[in-house]
Amino acid sequence: MDRNELYIKGPQRMQGELLIQGSKNAALPILAATILGEGIFILHHCPKISDVEHMLELLVDAGCRAYWEGHMLIVDTRELRNYRVKGDGAGKMRSTVTLLGSILGRMHQVEIPYPGGCTIGKRPIDLHLRGLEQLGAVFEHQEHTLVGKAAILHGASVYLDFPSVGATENVLLAAVLAEGSTVIHGAAMEPEIVELASFLRKMGAKILGEGTPVISIEGVKRLHAAEYIVPSDRIVAGTYLFGALMTRGEVRLLHVPLAHLGNLPGVLEQMGAVVEAKEDWIYVRMDHQCRPIPYLVTAPFPGFPTDLQSALMAALSTASGISFIEEKIFEARFQVVEELQKMGASITSEESFALIDGDARLRGAKVEAKELRGGAALIMAALAAEGETCIQGMEYVCRGYEDINEDLKKLGIKKRCGEQGCCPKTAFTEETHVRTGNNEEVS
């Protein structure tokens, strides 16, 4: 068996209680933000996922030191000297681009490879560049490399044509050390923006308005190290909640900030689930077949997140009627459709629209994860399918799910993996793992 395969024999009922891992989408920009201060940073509840590993490779390449003690990540930025990022991790994930704002903010020049990540659309970075240019940065496009310089970063009124999370993060990161005041108009309101602003404020930044469309930043001369707790991952939580609906299960997810879930609880209730939630946990029980959703459109927060659209589609393929989804964030979010069809789902998709005819009797099949969120959706579908499903391409899932094998086990699911396990821990095998700027590793 291949190490990047997962085998699940269904149908199985998801039930149990689970503490949700730290947030991928919060941890990555927070790690980029550590570059802006000189000192030793401590991040609690940081997820041990491959995207975090790749980000640490880039920080180490720039001169930082990083090591783990359990789920506590310690990053020492005092020796950061290199504005050229060349690590292998740069081409493996989208969040590489977040380093533009932070390295420019500290060193006033930056060179990074063009970012990679999941193949879910064009995902242009023009919003990032235009925002940073308004703060005084100048960019040059070289072969495979983006070069930026800013003799002086200065405050400005930045208008975003779309509330891009990444562009908002980049402008925020560059503005906190810029001279004068910056106002971001049309800013993203996602919880990850709020967490980044909170972390920067702990470093000494002056920020107001995060979580609204207008964020104000007053530049400061210097930022210092900070300690922070990474919140739980709302997308991981949502994935398992849809798994519970598909399998007529019952789950309680702990340390999940209710405020981060947006309209998700309402969608779950619309599909027929019993939902109870408090400030930091959510309970879901499904006693019957899912109800369809006549129309749902993905949207920036607090709307329904594009990252959960694939899991929702998998759940709706088992619903008692016809559902319709419109994808407005990424144009290639329907790669999972062909794989779900292999399992018997009745889905028709074209451009940004998908029509799901429910009542499908899902059956086991060999399917392939082509990107992170679609891969997780296939795993949820496998739980509800009759017979064995083989999910290939588990390396994509490992980009955002720390240990999906253990999570499934705690939620009552039996499965088997490839010969070395379908989500290898790479650098996270040991409790304490040190990375230095000399590419040394000490366990």
Side-chain angles (χ1 to χ4, degrees), residues 3 51 71 129 150 175 178 182 186 279 330 357 396 400:
R3 64 186 292 181
D51 266 17
H71 274 77
L129 302 185
T182 297
E279 185 177 345
F330 295 122
D357 189 352
Y396 282 109

Side-chain angles (χ1 to χ4, degrees), residues 124-132 158-164 167 171:
I125 62 172
D126 56 309
L127 285 177
H128 301 245
L129 302 185
R130 286 204 301 268
L132 293 172
V158 177
Y159 293 85
L160 298 179
D161 297 334
F162 178 82
S164 161
V171 175

Side-chain angles (χ1 to χ4, degrees), residues 97-277:
V97 73
T98 312
L99 294 172
L100 282 175
S102 55
I103 295 180
L104 275 173
R106 177 161 172 175
M107 308 190 74
H108 298 281
Q109 53 186 334
V110 60
E111 293 184 18
I112 66 168
Y114 284 101
C118 285
T119 56
I120 55 172
K122 297 177 182 177
R123 307 178 78 167
I125 62 172
D126 56 309
L127 285 177
H128 301 245
L129 302 185
R130 286 204 301 268
L132 293 172
E133 285 169 347
Q134 291 178 69
L135 299 181
V138 177
F139 292 97
E140 177 185 349
H141 299 266
Q142 299 180 0
E143 186 177 7
H144 307 303
T145 304
L146 183 61
V147 178
K149 295 182 180 180
I152 298 176
L153 286 172
H154 53 77
S157 289
V158 177
Y159 293 85
L160 298 179
D161 297 334
F162 178 82
S164 161
V165 174
T168 302
E169 290 168 347
N170 249 325
V171 175
L172 186 56
L173 289 166
V176 289
L177 287 178
E179 295 183 1
S181 301
T182 297
V183 180
I184 307 174
H185 300 270
M189 299 187 292
E190 269 70 6
E192 294 77 22
I193 299 295
V194 176
E195 295 297 330
L196 175 60
S198 178
F199 178 69
L200 287 168
R201 196 178 292 112
K202 278 205 163 190
M203 294 174 62
K206 296 181 178 180
I207 304 168
L208 294 172
E210 70 275 9
T212 77
V214 181
I215 302 177
S216 301
I217 307 104
E218 186 68 34
V220 298
K221 295 292 185 182
R222 191 179 185 86
L223 294 173
H224 53 74
E227 187 171 0
Y228 201 73
I229 301 174
V230 178
S232 291
D233 196 304
R234 63 192 177 104
I235 305 302
V236 171
T239 301
Y240 297 151
L241 292 172
F242 282 121
L245 264 63
M246 295 179 70
T247 63
R248 302 188 188 184
E250 182 179 15
V251 301
R252 185 185 300 271
L253 305 182
L254 307 176
H255 287 196
V256 179
L258 181 60
H260 288 193
L261 297 181
N263 68 351
L264 176 59
V267 171
L268 298 171
E269 289 180 327
Q270 186 179 354
M271 295 174 69
V274 174
V275 179
E276 297 178 17

Side-chain angles (χ1 to χ4, degrees), residues 162-411:
F162 178 82
S164 161
V165 174
T168 302
E169 290 168 347
N170 249 325
V171 175
L172 186 56
L173 289 166
V176 289
L177 287 178
E179 295 183 1
S181 301
T182 297
V183 180
I184 307 174
H185 300 270
M189 299 187 292
E190 269 70 6
E192 294 77 22
I193 299 295
V194 176
E195 295 297 330
L196 175 60
S198 178
F199 178 69
L200 287 168
R201 196 178 292 112
K202 278 205 163 190
M203 294 174 62
K206 296 181 178 180
I207 304 168
L208 294 172
E210 70 275 9
T212 77
V214 181
I215 302 177
S216 301
I217 307 104
E218 186 68 34
V220 298
K221 295 292 185 182
R222 191 179 185 86
L223 294 173
H224 53 74
E227 187 171 0
Y228 201 73
I229 301 174
V230 178
S232 291
D233 196 304
R234 63 192 177 104
I235 305 302
V236 171
T239 301
Y240 297 151
L241 292 172
F242 282 121
L245 264 63
M246 295 179 70
T247 63
R248 302 188 188 184
E250 182 179 15
V251 301
R252 185 185 300 271
L253 305 182
L254 307 176
H255 287 196
V256 179
L258 181 60
H260 288 193
L261 297 181
N263 68 351
L264 176 59
V267 171
L268 298 171
E269 289 180 327
Q270 186 179 354
M271 295 174 69
V274 174
V275 179
E276 297 178 17
K278 295 294 184 182
E279 185 177 345
D280 64 349
W281 60 265
I282 182 168
Y283 164 87
V284 165
R285 188 183 78 248
M286 185 59 127
D287 299 324
H288 49 77
Q289 185 179 13
C290 294
R291 291 199 291 258
I293 295 181
Y295 174 73
L296 183 141
V297 58
T298 59
F301 191 85
F304 190 84
T306 182
D307 281 351
L308 283 176
Q309 182 254 98
S310 296
L312 171 65
M313 183 182 293
L316 291 175
S317 69
T318 68
S320 58
I322 294 176
S323 302
F324 189 82
I325 295 176
E326 182 178 2
E327 172 59 59
K328 279 198 170 183
I329 308 299
F330 295 122
E331 71 276 6
R333 267 289 193 205
F334 292 150
Q335 295 180 72
V336 72
V337 169
E338 183 179 356
E339 304 306 306
L340 288 172
Q341 289 171 339
K342 293 177 183 177
M343 301 179 69
S346 179
I347 305 173
T348 302
S349 64
E350 185 174 344
E351 295 182 346
S352 60
F353 302 96
L355 181 71
I356 304 104
D357 189 352
D359 272 328
R361 198 173 185 85
L362 297 182
R363 58 184 180 273
K366 179 175 283 189
V367 293
E368 180 183 1
K370 298 177 180 178
E371 41 86 16
L372 166 57
R373 304 307 177 184
L378 291 173
I379 295 172
M380 298 304 104
L383 302 180
E386 292 189 3
E388 186 170 81
T389 299
C390 169
I391 300 104
Q392 298 177 315
M394 284 295 296
E395 66 273 13
Y396 282 109
V397 178
C398 295
R399 287 189 52 230
Y401 294 77
E402 180 174 291
D403 192 350
I404 201 165
N405 299 309
E406 186 62 24
D407 285 353
L408 292 175
K409 180 180 178 181
K410 290 179 179 178
L411 292 173

